[in-house]
Amino acid sequence: MATTINTNTDHHYDRLEEIKQFDESKIGVKGLVDTGLTAIPRFFHHPPENLPTPKPKTQKSKLSIPIIDLSGHRSAVVDQIRHSSSTHGFFQIINHGIPKKVLDQMLSSIKAFFELPETTRIHYYTREASHGVAYSTNFDLYKSKAASWRDTLQVRLGPTPPEWDYVPELCREAVEEWDRGVIKLGEELMGLLSEGLGMERDRLKDMSCLDARTMAAHYYPYCPQADLTVGLTSHTDPGVLTVVLQNEVAGLQVKFGEDWIDVDPVPGGLIINIGDILQIMANDEYKSVEHRVLANPSHEPRVSIAVFFNPSMRDKLYGPLPGLVSPEKPAMYQQFMFSDFMTRFFTKELDGKTLTNYYRVSSKEESELDKQETNESSV
């Protein structure tokens, strides 16, 4: 299927029209690469200030994301996770209980889906997720100032499962098995994180933080002008916790102070990061940090599969947990309904860290008021 996307750069350029033309072609970024293009469409170009600063090839950051062995003594694992969550907001885990065979099948089946013949793949392309499944390029394609060089298959896993007939058959079984493993792992991680805050093991579980799960499987194909765009813009995750499986192609970076740390793939490992709502519930004891993915200059595609854990009780009030609020450390955030929180996330461009800042209180008096409300109402 031959599709031509206009890449002219003259003063008659109509950005919205080019985006619509691309989106309606349903070929995705993978389809653009398959045409053999050497210059990416203009709507993928990011302004220089938003692009990573190239590092000399000889310069390798000494900073790294902690790697935690979950098979260690529980008290030691709790301490390691608490420290990593309060400093980096990210860590990698090994010996996590999900068999390597499950991980490998998940990566290979997702890669195989994105590499289906274009004539087959376009039938799945849709932004409408009423069946619990959507496949498209950038959920914020029409809102963002510049598009990112990736395609995504998104599947709602819980609390209501997807209509499985709409999940591509090629990866359906692998997704189901992966979800079963992630549920068990998520419960273990929530318990460790709860204990790290000095709470009962089931505190986050009892708040329904395990129940709502969404999977986003990202495919980052080769980009012929990787210096002009990104794979995923800098952002924080809005939810409680994210579990990420990635293949051997690097590209994920985490912000630490003013530096960006490369998250190098660990065979059999998984990446864990704290989301905005957990930072808020933890009253800043844990940190949700900005991260991004570079555009892929390699001819081997980067594949990553994220599962986002969110509360399923969307119409309850959330805010700092009562046990983490005291006269010495008042509530740092106001309360909100989770449904309003997520609406705010999805009506903005995926860019930067804005949700925690939006709900942060601006004075000690407001903090004291929020503390009182939290003691009365917070789930």
Short mmCIF file of all heavy atoms in Angstrom, two decimals, residues 196-257:
data_model
loop_
_atom_site.label_atom_id
_atom_site.label_comp_id
_atom_site.label_asym_id
_atom_site.label_seq_id
_atom_site.Cartn_x
_atom_site.Cartn_y
_atom_site.Cartn_z
N GLY A 196 7.51 0.33 53.30
CA GLY A 196 8.53 1.37 53.27
C GLY A 196 8.04 2.70 53.81
O GLY A 196 8.83 3.53 54.26
N LEU A 197 6.72 2.90 53.78
CA LEU A 197 6.11 4.12 54.33
C LEU A 197 5.68 3.93 55.79
O LEU A 197 5.06 4.82 56.38
CB LEU A 197 4.90 4.53 53.49
CG LEU A 197 5.20 5.01 52.06
CD1 LEU A 197 3.90 5.16 51.28
CD2 LEU A 197 5.99 6.31 52.08
N GLY A 198 5.99 2.74 56.35
CA GLY A 198 5.61 2.47 57.72
C GLY A 198 4.16 2.08 57.89
O GLY A 198 3.60 2.17 58.99
N MET A 199 3.52 1.62 56.80
CA MET A 199 2.11 1.25 56.84
C MET A 199 1.97 -0.26 56.75
O MET A 199 2.93 -0.98 56.50
CB MET A 199 1.36 1.92 55.69
CG MET A 199 1.43 3.45 55.70
SD MET A 199 0.43 4.20 54.40
CE MET A 199 1.25 3.58 52.93
N GLU A 200 0.73 -0.74 56.95
CA GLU A 200 0.46 -2.15 56.79
C GLU A 200 0.72 -2.58 55.36
O GLU A 200 0.55 -1.81 54.42
CB GLU A 200 -1.00 -2.48 57.15
CG GLU A 200 -1.49 -1.94 58.48
CD GLU A 200 -1.92 -0.48 58.39
OE1 GLU A 200 -2.38 -0.05 57.31
OE2 GLU A 200 -1.77 0.24 59.39
N ARG A 201 1.07 -3.85 55.18
CA ARG A 201 1.44 -4.36 53.86
C ARG A 201 0.33 -4.15 52.83
O ARG A 201 0.61 -3.86 51.67
CB ARG A 201 1.80 -5.83 53.96
CG ARG A 201 2.27 -6.45 52.65
CD ARG A 201 2.61 -7.92 52.79
NE ARG A 201 3.70 -8.16 53.74
CZ ARG A 201 4.32 -9.33 53.86
NH1 ARG A 201 3.96 -10.36 53.10
NH2 ARG A 201 5.28 -9.49 54.74
N ASP A 202 -0.93 -4.29 53.23
CA ASP A 202 -2.04 -4.24 52.28
C ASP A 202 -2.64 -2.84 52.13
O ASP A 202 -3.71 -2.69 51.54
CB ASP A 202 -3.14 -5.22 52.69
CG ASP A 202 -2.73 -6.67 52.50
OD1 ASP A 202 -1.80 -6.91 51.70
OD2 ASP A 202 -3.34 -7.55 53.13
N ARG A 203 -1.98 -1.81 52.66
CA ARG A 203 -2.58 -0.47 52.64
C ARG A 203 -2.92 0.00 51.24
O ARG A 203 -4.04 0.43 50.96
CB ARG A 203 -1.63 0.53 53.31
CG ARG A 203 -2.23 1.94 53.45
CD ARG A 203 -3.36 1.95 54.45
NE ARG A 203 -3.81 3.30 54.76
CZ ARG A 203 -4.91 3.86 54.28
NH1 ARG A 203 -5.67 3.18 53.44
NH2 ARG A 203 -5.26 5.08 54.63
N LEU A 204 -1.98 -0.08 50.31
CA LEU A 204 -2.24 0.38 48.94
C LEU A 204 -3.19 -0.57 48.22
O LEU A 204 -4.04 -0.13 47.43
CB LEU A 204 -0.92 0.52 48.17
CG LEU A 204 0.01 1.63 48.67
CD1 LEU A 204 1.36 1.56 47.95
CD2 LEU A 204 -0.62 3.00 48.47
N LYS A 205 -3.07 -1.85 48.49
CA LYS A 205 -3.98 -2.83 47.88
C LYS A 205 -5.42 -2.54 48.31
O LYS A 205 -6.35 -2.57 47.48
CB LYS A 205 -3.58 -4.24 48.29
CG LYS A 205 -4.50 -5.33 47.76
CD LYS A 205 -4.07 -6.70 48.27
CE LYS A 205 -5.03 -7.79 47.80
NZ LYS A 205 -4.64 -9.13 48.33
N ASP A 206 -5.62 -2.26 49.59
CA ASP A 206 -6.96 -1.99 50.10
C ASP A 206 -7.55 -0.71 49.51
O ASP A 206 -8.78 -0.52 49.53
CB ASP A 206 -6.94 -1.90 51.63
CG ASP A 206 -6.66 -3.24 52.29
OD1 ASP A 206 -6.77 -4.28 51.59
OD2 ASP A 206 -6.30 -3.25 53.48
N MET A 207 -6.70 0.17 49.01
CA MET A 207 -7.17 1.41 48.37
C MET A 207 -7.44 1.22 46.89
O MET A 207 -7.59 2.17 46.15
CB MET A 207 -6.12 2.51 48.58
CG MET A 207 -5.95 2.93 50.04
SD MET A 207 -4.55 4.04 50.26
CE MET A 207 -5.09 5.44 49.29
N SER A 208 -7.46 -0.05 46.45
CA SER A 208 -7.77 -0.45 45.06
C SER A 208 -6.66 -0.10 44.08
O SER A 208 -6.89 -0.08 42.87
CB SER A 208 -9.10 0.14 44.58
OG SER A 208 -9.00 1.51 44.20
N CYS A 209 -5.44 0.14 44.58
CA CYS A 209 -4.35 0.58 43.70
C CYS A 209 -3.85 -0.51 42.76
O CYS A 209 -3.08 -0.22 41.83
CB CYS A 209 -3.19 1.10 44.54
SG CYS A 209 -3.56 2.65 45.40
N LEU A 210 -4.27 -1.75 42.98
CA LEU A 210 -3.89 -2.85 42.09
C LEU A 210 -4.90 -3.09 40.97
O LEU A 210 -4.61 -3.77 40.00
CB LEU A 210 -3.77 -4.16 42.89
CG LEU A 210 -2.48 -4.42 43.65
CD1 LEU A 210 -2.70 -5.55 44.64
CD2 LEU A 210 -1.37 -4.77 42.68
N ASP A 211 -6.09 -2.53 41.14
CA ASP A 211 -7.22 -3.00 40.33
C ASP A 211 -7.28 -2.45 38.91
O ASP A 211 -7.60 -3.17 37.97
CB ASP A 211 -8.54 -2.69 41.05
CG ASP A 211 -8.63 -3.38 42.41
OD1 ASP A 211 -7.84 -4.31 42.64
OD2 ASP A 211 -9.48 -2.98 43.23
N ALA A 212 -7.01 -1.17 38.74
CA ALA A 212 -7.09 -0.57 37.41
C ALA A 212 -5.72 -0.66 36.74
O ALA A 212 -4.74 -0.10 37.24
CB ALA A 212 -7.56 0.88 37.50
N ARG A 213 -5.67 -1.38 35.64
CA ARG A 213 -4.39 -1.60 34.94
C ARG A 213 -4.56 -1.34 33.45
O ARG A 213 -5.51 -1.81 32.83
CB ARG A 213 -3.89 -3.04 35.14
CG ARG A 213 -3.72 -3.44 36.57
CD ARG A 213 -3.25 -4.88 36.71
NE ARG A 213 -4.02 -5.84 35.90
CZ ARG A 213 -5.24 -6.26 36.21
NH1 ARG A 213 -5.86 -5.80 37.29
NH2 ARG A 213 -5.86 -7.13 35.45
N THR A 214 -3.63 -0.59 32.90
CA THR A 214 -3.61 -0.33 31.46
C THR A 214 -2.23 -0.66 30.93
O THR A 214 -1.22 -0.27 31.53
CB THR A 214 -3.94 1.14 31.15
OG1 THR A 214 -5.25 1.44 31.63
CG2 THR A 214 -3.89 1.40 29.64
N MET A 215 -2.18 -1.38 29.83
CA MET A 215 -0.91 -1.72 29.18
C MET A 215 -0.71 -0.84 27.96
O MET A 215 -1.62 -0.64 27.15
CB MET A 215 -0.93 -3.19 28.74
CG MET A 215 0.38 -3.65 28.12
SD MET A 215 0.22 -5.24 27.25
CE MET A 215 -0.39 -4.70 25.64
N ALA A 216 0.49 -0.30 27.84
CA ALA A 216 0.88 0.44 26.64
C ALA A 216 2.13 -0.21 26.07
O ALA A 216 3.20 -0.16 26.70
CB ALA A 216 1.13 1.91 26.96
N ALA A 217 1.98 -0.86 24.92
CA ALA A 217 3.11 -1.50 24.25
C ALA A 217 3.61 -0.56 23.16
O ALA A 217 2.89 -0.27 22.20
CB ALA A 217 2.69 -2.84 23.66
N HIS A 218 4.84 -0.06 23.34
CA HIS A 218 5.41 0.93 22.42
C HIS A 218 6.39 0.28 21.46
O HIS A 218 7.20 -0.57 21.86
CB HIS A 218 6.15 2.02 23.20
CG HIS A 218 5.29 2.80 24.15
ND1 HIS A 218 4.16 3.46 23.76
CD2 HIS A 218 5.42 3.03 25.49
CE1 HIS A 218 3.62 4.08 24.80
NE2 HIS A 218 4.37 3.83 25.86
N TYR A 219 6.33 0.74 20.22
CA TYR A 219 7.26 0.27 19.18
C TYR A 219 7.97 1.50 18.62
O TYR A 219 7.34 2.42 18.09
CB TYR A 219 6.47 -0.43 18.08
CG TYR A 219 7.31 -1.04 16.97
CD1 TYR A 219 7.79 -2.34 17.06
CD2 TYR A 219 7.59 -0.32 15.81
CE1 TYR A 219 8.54 -2.91 16.03
CE2 TYR A 219 8.34 -0.88 14.78
CZ TYR A 219 8.81 -2.17 14.89
OH TYR A 219 9.55 -2.73 13.87
N TYR A 220 9.30 1.54 18.80
CA TYR A 220 10.12 2.66 18.35
C TYR A 220 10.98 2.18 17.18
O TYR A 220 12.07 1.63 17.39
CB TYR A 220 11.04 3.15 19.47
CG TYR A 220 10.34 3.57 20.75
CD1 TYR A 220 10.07 2.64 21.76
CD2 TYR A 220 9.99 4.90 20.98
CE1 TYR A 220 9.45 3.02 22.94
CE2 TYR A 220 9.38 5.30 22.17
CZ TYR A 220 9.11 4.35 23.14
OH TYR A 220 8.51 4.73 24.31
N PRO A 221 10.54 2.38 15.95
CA PRO A 221 11.35 1.92 14.82
C PRO A 221 12.53 2.86 14.57
O PRO A 221 12.64 3.93 15.18
CB PRO A 221 10.36 1.96 13.66
CG PRO A 221 9.42 3.06 14.01
CD PRO A 221 9.30 3.04 15.52
N TYR A 222 13.37 2.45 13.66
CA TYR A 222 14.50 3.27 13.22
C TYR A 222 14.01 4.66 12.80
O TYR A 222 12.99 4.79 12.11
CB TYR A 222 15.20 2.59 12.06
CG TYR A 222 16.12 3.50 11.27
CD1 TYR A 222 17.31 3.97 11.83
CD2 TYR A 222 15.80 3.88 9.96
CE1 TYR A 222 18.15 4.80 11.11
CE2 TYR A 222 16.64 4.71 9.22
CZ TYR A 222 17.81 5.17 9.80
OH TYR A 222 18.64 6.00 9.09
N CYS A 223 14.73 5.69 13.23
CA CYS A 223 14.41 7.06 12.82
C CYS A 223 15.58 7.62 12.01
O CYS A 223 16.71 7.70 12.53
CB CYS A 223 14.15 7.94 14.03
SG CYS A 223 13.68 9.64 13.59
N PRO A 224 15.35 8.02 10.76
CA PRO A 224 16.46 8.51 9.93
C PRO A 224 16.98 9.88 10.36
O PRO A 224 18.07 10.28 9.94
CB PRO A 224 15.84 8.57 8.53
CG PRO A 224 14.37 8.74 8.77
CD PRO A 224 14.09 7.96 10.02
N GLN A 225 16.22 10.61 11.17
CA GLN A 225 16.68 11.91 11.69
C GLN A 225 16.40 11.96 13.19
O GLN A 225 15.63 12.77 13.69
CB GLN A 225 15.97 13.06 10.96
CG GLN A 225 16.34 13.17 9.48
CD GLN A 225 15.62 14.32 8.80
OE1 GLN A 225 14.39 14.37 8.77
NE2 GLN A 225 16.39 15.26 8.24
N ALA A 226 17.06 11.08 13.91
CA ALA A 226 16.81 10.93 15.35
C ALA A 226 17.20 12.17 16.14
O ALA A 226 16.76 12.35 17.28
CB ALA A 226 17.57 9.71 15.89
N ASP A 227 17.99 13.04 15.54
CA ASP A 227 18.40 14.27 16.23
C ASP A 227 17.34 15.36 16.14
O ASP A 227 17.49 16.41 16.78
CB ASP A 227 19.72 14.78 15.66
CG ASP A 227 19.66 15.04 14.16
OD1 ASP A 227 18.87 14.36 13.46
OD2 ASP A 227 20.39 15.94 13.68
N LEU A 228 16.26 15.13 15.39
CA LEU A 228 15.23 16.15 15.21
C LEU A 228 13.95 15.85 15.98
O LEU A 228 13.05 16.70 16.05
CB LEU A 228 14.88 16.30 13.73
CG LEU A 228 15.98 16.79 12.79
CD1 LEU A 228 15.45 16.91 11.37
CD2 LEU A 228 16.54 18.13 13.27
N THR A 229 13.85 14.66 16.57
CA THR A 229 12.62 14.28 17.24
C THR A 229 12.93 13.45 18.47
O THR A 229 14.09 13.28 18.85
CB THR A 229 11.68 13.53 16.26
OG1 THR A 229 10.39 13.35 16.86
CG2 THR A 229 12.26 12.18 15.85
N VAL A 230 11.88 12.91 19.11
CA VAL A 230 12.05 12.06 20.29
C VAL A 230 11.14 10.84 20.14
O VAL A 230 10.22 10.82 19.33
CB VAL A 230 11.71 12.80 21.60
CG1 VAL A 230 12.62 14.00 21.80
CG2 VAL A 230 10.25 13.23 21.63
N GLY A 231 11.42 9.82 20.95
CA GLY A 231 10.54 8.66 20.97
C GLY A 231 9.37 8.89 21.91
O GLY A 231 8.24 8.49 21.63
N LEU A 232 9.64 9.54 23.03
CA LEU A 232 8.62 9.86 24.02
C LEU A 232 9.08 11.11 24.76
O LEU A 232 10.19 11.16 25.27
CB LEU A 232 8.45 8.69 25.01
CG LEU A 232 7.29 8.70 25.99
CD1 LEU A 232 5.95 8.76 25.27
CD2 LEU A 232 7.35 7.46 26.88
N THR A 233 8.22 12.13 24.80
CA THR A 233 8.62 13.39 25.43
C THR A 233 8.78 13.23 26.93
O THR A 233 8.21 12.33 27.55
CB THR A 233 7.58 14.49 25.15
OG1 THR A 233 6.28 14.01 25.56
CG2 THR A 233 7.54 14.87 23.69
N SER A 234 9.51 14.14 27.53
CA SER A 234 9.73 14.13 28.97
C SER A 234 8.40 14.30 29.69
O SER A 234 7.62 15.21 29.39
CB SER A 234 10.69 15.25 29.35
OG SER A 234 10.83 15.33 30.75
N HIS A 235 8.15 13.42 30.68
CA HIS A 235 6.87 13.45 31.40
C HIS A 235 7.00 12.64 32.67
O HIS A 235 8.01 11.95 32.88
CB HIS A 235 5.75 12.86 30.53
CG HIS A 235 5.91 11.38 30.30
ND1 HIS A 235 6.87 10.86 29.45
CD2 HIS A 235 5.27 10.31 30.85
CE1 HIS A 235 6.81 9.55 29.47
NE2 HIS A 235 5.85 9.17 30.31
N THR A 236 6.01 12.72 33.52
CA THR A 236 5.89 11.80 34.64
C THR A 236 4.62 10.98 34.43
O THR A 236 3.69 11.41 33.74
CB THR A 236 5.79 12.53 35.99
OG1 THR A 236 4.65 13.40 35.97
CG2 THR A 236 7.04 13.36 36.26
N ASP A 237 4.58 9.80 35.02
CA ASP A 237 3.38 8.96 34.91
C ASP A 237 2.36 9.41 35.95
O ASP A 237 2.72 9.68 37.10
CB ASP A 237 3.73 7.48 35.13
CG ASP A 237 4.59 6.92 34.01
OD1 ASP A 237 4.68 7.57 32.95
OD2 ASP A 237 5.17 5.83 34.20
N PRO A 238 1.08 9.48 35.59
CA PRO A 238 0.09 10.03 36.51
C PRO A 238 -0.36 9.08 37.61
O PRO A 238 -0.86 9.53 38.64
CB PRO A 238 -1.09 10.35 35.58
CG PRO A 238 -0.98 9.35 34.48
CD PRO A 238 0.50 9.16 34.27
N GLY A 239 -0.20 7.77 37.43
CA GLY A 239 -0.83 6.81 38.32
C GLY A 239 -0.06 6.50 39.59
O GLY A 239 0.71 7.31 40.11
N VAL A 240 -0.24 5.27 40.09
CA VAL A 240 0.39 4.84 41.33
C VAL A 240 1.77 4.27 41.05
O VAL A 240 2.77 4.70 41.63
CB VAL A 240 -0.49 3.78 42.04
CG1 VAL A 240 0.21 3.28 43.31
CG2 VAL A 240 -1.85 4.35 42.38
N LEU A 241 1.83 3.30 40.15
CA LEU A 241 3.07 2.56 39.90
C LEU A 241 3.07 2.08 38.46
O LEU A 241 2.03 1.76 37.91
CB LEU A 241 3.11 1.36 40.85
CG LEU A 241 4.40 0.55 40.93
CD1 LEU A 241 5.47 1.35 41.66
CD2 LEU A 241 4.15 -0.78 41.66
N THR A 242 4.26 2.04 37.85
CA THR A 242 4.40 1.54 36.49
C THR A 242 5.44 0.43 36.46
O THR A 242 6.51 0.54 37.07
CB THR A 242 4.85 2.66 35.52
OG1 THR A 242 3.96 3.78 35.64
CG2 THR A 242 4.84 2.18 34.08
N VAL A 243 5.11 -0.67 35.77
CA VAL A 243 6.03 -1.79 35.55
C VAL A 243 6.36 -1.81 34.07
O VAL A 243 5.45 -1.82 33.22
CB VAL A 243 5.38 -3.12 35.97
CG1 VAL A 243 6.31 -4.30 35.65
CG2 VAL A 243 5.04 -3.12 37.46
N VAL A 244 7.63 -1.82 33.73
CA VAL A 244 8.06 -1.73 32.33
C VAL A 244 8.98 -2.89 31.96
O VAL A 244 9.96 -3.16 32.65
CB VAL A 244 8.79 -0.40 32.04
CG1 VAL A 244 9.21 -0.32 30.57
CG2 VAL A 244 7.91 0.80 32.40
N LEU A 245 8.64 -3.52 30.86
CA LEU A 245 9.49 -4.53 30.23
C LEU A 245 10.05 -3.92 28.96
O LEU A 245 9.32 -3.37 28.15
CB LEU A 245 8.65 -5.78 29.91
CG LEU A 245 9.27 -6.84 28.98
CD1 LEU A 245 10.50 -7.47 29.63
CD2 LEU A 245 8.23 -7.91 28.64
N GLN A 246 11.38 -3.98 28.77
CA GLN A 246 11.98 -3.44 27.55
C GLN A 246 12.90 -4.48 26.92
O GLN A 246 13.44 -5.34 27.60
CB GLN A 246 12.75 -2.15 27.84
CG GLN A 246 13.95 -2.30 28.78
CD GLN A 246 14.73 -1.02 28.97
OE1 GLN A 246 14.53 -0.02 28.29
NE2 GLN A 246 15.67 -1.02 29.92
N ASN A 247 13.07 -4.35 25.59
CA ASN A 247 14.01 -5.25 24.92
C ASN A 247 15.43 -4.71 25.05
O ASN A 247 15.69 -3.81 25.86
CB ASN A 247 13.59 -5.50 23.47
CG ASN A 247 13.78 -4.29 22.56
OD1 ASN A 247 14.07 -3.17 23.02
ND2 ASN A 247 13.62 -4.49 21.27
N GLU A 248 16.33 -5.24 24.26
CA GLU A 248 17.75 -4.93 24.44
C GLU A 248 18.16 -3.59 23.84
O GLU A 248 19.32 -3.17 24.00
CB GLU A 248 18.62 -6.05 23.83
CG GLU A 248 18.60 -6.13 22.31
CD GLU A 248 17.35 -6.79 21.72
OE1 GLU A 248 16.46 -7.20 22.50
OE2 GLU A 248 17.26 -6.88 20.48
N VAL A 249 17.26 -2.89 23.15
CA VAL A 249 17.59 -1.61 22.53
C VAL A 249 17.35 -0.49 23.53
O VAL A 249 16.22 -0.29 23.99
CB VAL A 249 16.77 -1.38 21.25
CG1 VAL A 249 17.13 -0.04 20.61
CG2 VAL A 249 17.01 -2.52 20.26
N ALA A 250 18.41 0.23 23.88
CA ALA A 250 18.30 1.29 24.89
C ALA A 250 17.59 2.52 24.33
O ALA A 250 17.29 2.60 23.14
CB ALA A 250 19.70 1.65 25.39
N GLY A 251 17.33 3.47 25.21
CA GLY A 251 16.69 4.71 24.80
C GLY A 251 15.98 5.43 25.94
O GLY A 251 15.80 6.65 25.90
N LEU A 252 15.60 4.68 26.99
CA LEU A 252 14.93 5.29 28.13
C LEU A 252 15.93 6.07 28.98
O LEU A 252 17.02 5.57 29.27
CB LEU A 252 14.25 4.21 28.98
CG LEU A 252 13.61 4.66 30.30
CD1 LEU A 252 12.47 5.65 30.05
CD2 LEU A 252 13.11 3.45 31.09
N GLN A 253 15.54 7.28 29.36
CA GLN A 253 16.37 8.10 30.23
C GLN A 253 15.51 8.66 31.37
O GLN A 253 14.34 9.00 31.18
CB GLN A 253 17.01 9.27 29.47
CG GLN A 253 18.02 8.84 28.42
CD GLN A 253 18.71 10.03 27.78
OE1 GLN A 253 18.12 11.09 27.61
NE2 GLN A 253 19.98 9.86 27.41
N VAL A 254 16.11 8.77 32.56
CA VAL A 254 15.44 9.27 33.75
C VAL A 254 16.16 10.52 34.24
O VAL A 254 17.39 10.56 34.29
CB VAL A 254 15.43 8.20 34.86
CG1 VAL A 254 14.88 8.75 36.16
CG2 VAL A 254 14.63 6.98 34.43
N LYS A 255 15.39 11.54 34.62
CA LYS A 255 16.00 12.78 35.09
C LYS A 255 16.39 12.65 36.55
O LYS A 255 15.61 12.20 37.39
CB LYS A 255 15.03 13.95 34.91
CG LYS A 255 15.71 15.31 35.04
CD LYS A 255 14.80 16.44 34.60
CE LYS A 255 15.56 17.76 34.55
NZ LYS A 255 14.68 18.89 34.15
N PHE A 256 17.61 13.04 36.85
CA PHE A 256 18.12 13.00 38.22
C PHE A 256 18.88 14.30 38.45
O PHE A 256 19.97 14.49 37.94
CB PHE A 256 19.04 11.80 38.43
CG PHE A 256 19.49 11.60 39.85
CD1 PHE A 256 18.60 11.17 40.82
CD2 PHE A 256 20.80 11.85 40.21
CE1 PHE A 256 19.01 10.99 42.14
CE2 PHE A 256 21.23 11.67 41.52
CZ PHE A 256 20.33 11.24 42.49
N GLY A 257 18.27 15.23 39.18
CA GLY A 257 18.83 16.57 39.29
C GLY A 257 18.77 17.24 37.92
O GLY A 257 17.71 17.31 37.30
#
